[in-house]
Amino acid sequence: MQTSIVAWIKPFVEKMLEAFDTFQRVCYMIIAVIGVVVNLLAIVVLSRGMCGLSTCTTRYLVVMAAADVLAVVSAVILRRMHFYFSGTFLDIYPYCNIIFVLMCTTRDCSVWFTVNFTLDRFVLICCRKLKSRYCSRKTATVVLSTTGFLMCLKNAPYYFTSEPRVIIDNVPWFCDIKPSYFTDPGWVEYSRFDKVVVPLVPFAVILLFNVLTVRHILQASRVRKALRVQRKGENCNDPELESRRRSVVLLFTISGSFILLWLTTLVDYLYYNVTGKNPNYYNPYEYIFGQVGYLLQNVSLCTNTFIYGVTQSKFRQELVSVVKYPVMAVILFIRKLNNKLTHEWCKSQRVFALNLKTKH
């Protein structure tokens, strides 16, 4: 009876996995195109410094967008190229191994730059004495550079976790994780450390600082509103509260988007740690759940630009201006070319008419 049930379910599972594989290919292609385009646009728009943001905030957002571009290129375009092209030089060992290390590094940088930005917003809103020293362009550069350097050091050992799958004509092809990675105590502890650094600690830090920020804002808002009512007898608009509101909206949408899109990966990590199940031996449904989590964490690389557009009116204006500029430049070039051709044509017609008159 059990054998017959398995035989009946197996074709359905195969079709489901095939459909999911097609779905992944389409999604990753969309992520690759959108992720590169929108993040490059964000870098151009923010670098102009005309979005009404401080230089410190702009530095964080630009570097976050740059990390997202690199993550899309490494994790989506290069890492997933075997979906569309197999047997390219990127599948040769150690190139595939280098791409894997680059993917892990850029992913971690993208995550921890979000943590850095959350901490910067917390200091800006809640720590008045520390604000002038910490929330500066110089400090932002030091923090981001240090974070990037630490993430490179943290992921460098991944280069030694892979080995070539096959050797054809003395050329090593493809990268497989060494069996010792799953059994050697050192590598097991390193894998746990990696999962703690991303995503457990970022989740905890972002949630903690967001809660503290909300509590501080609520307390400050009640005090300021009470003071304004006592002084003026009415509750007028407060520019300080309005400025804080915009900062909080930007902070919460960025960090909230990160939490939602990484939540599936976090649940998957907790699941295989609690159950002790190796992800390499997942059943089809567990496999799909894990891959959906990985897909969503790649979607998080594309969301920040849309968040800026929704929450920041000046960013929308600058984005429209940047997008319109090449279009208007092309239109202007076509007009000049058309005027030049028209002028040359009229000149030739005058010369022709003059020659014709001379002959007669």
Side-chain angles (χ1 to χ4, degrees), residues 201-229:
V201 173
F203 257 75
V205 172
I206 288 175
L207 287 174
L208 172 64
F209 282 117
N210 281 350
V211 169
L212 293 175
T213 302
V214 169
R215 188 182 70 171
H216 177 85
I217 287 174
L218 291 177
Q219 292 176 349
S221 298
R222 285 195 293 265
V223 172
R224 289 182 67 87
K225 286 181 179 180
L227 289 175
R228 290 179 69 86
V229 169

Side-chain angles (χ1 to χ4, degrees), residues 211-270:
V211 169
L212 293 175
T213 302
V214 169
R215 188 182 70 171
H216 177 85
I217 287 174
L218 291 177
Q219 292 176 349
S221 298
R222 285 195 293 265
V223 172
R224 289 182 67 87
K225 286 181 179 180
L227 289 175
R228 290 179 69 86
V229 169
Q230 291 177 1
R231 291 176 181 177
K232 298 185 178 182
E234 57 181 359
N235 191 4
C236 301
N237 292 330
D238 190 339
E240 177 68 18
L241 291 179
E242 190 65 23
S243 175
R244 288 184 180 181
R245 186 189 69 80
R246 288 194 296 269
S247 296
V248 168
V249 168
L250 180 61
L251 167 64
F252 284 2
T253 48
I254 291 176
S255 56
S257 170
F258 165 79
I259 289 173
L260 289 176
L261 293 173
W262 275 79
L263 185 60
T264 305
T265 298
L266 179 63
V267 172
D268 180 58
Y269 167 73
L270 295 176

Side-chain angles (χ1 to χ4, degrees), residues 35-47:
V36 172
V37 172
V38 299
N39 283 304
L40 288 178
L41 279 175
I43 292 173
V44 173
V45 172
L46 292 169
S47 298

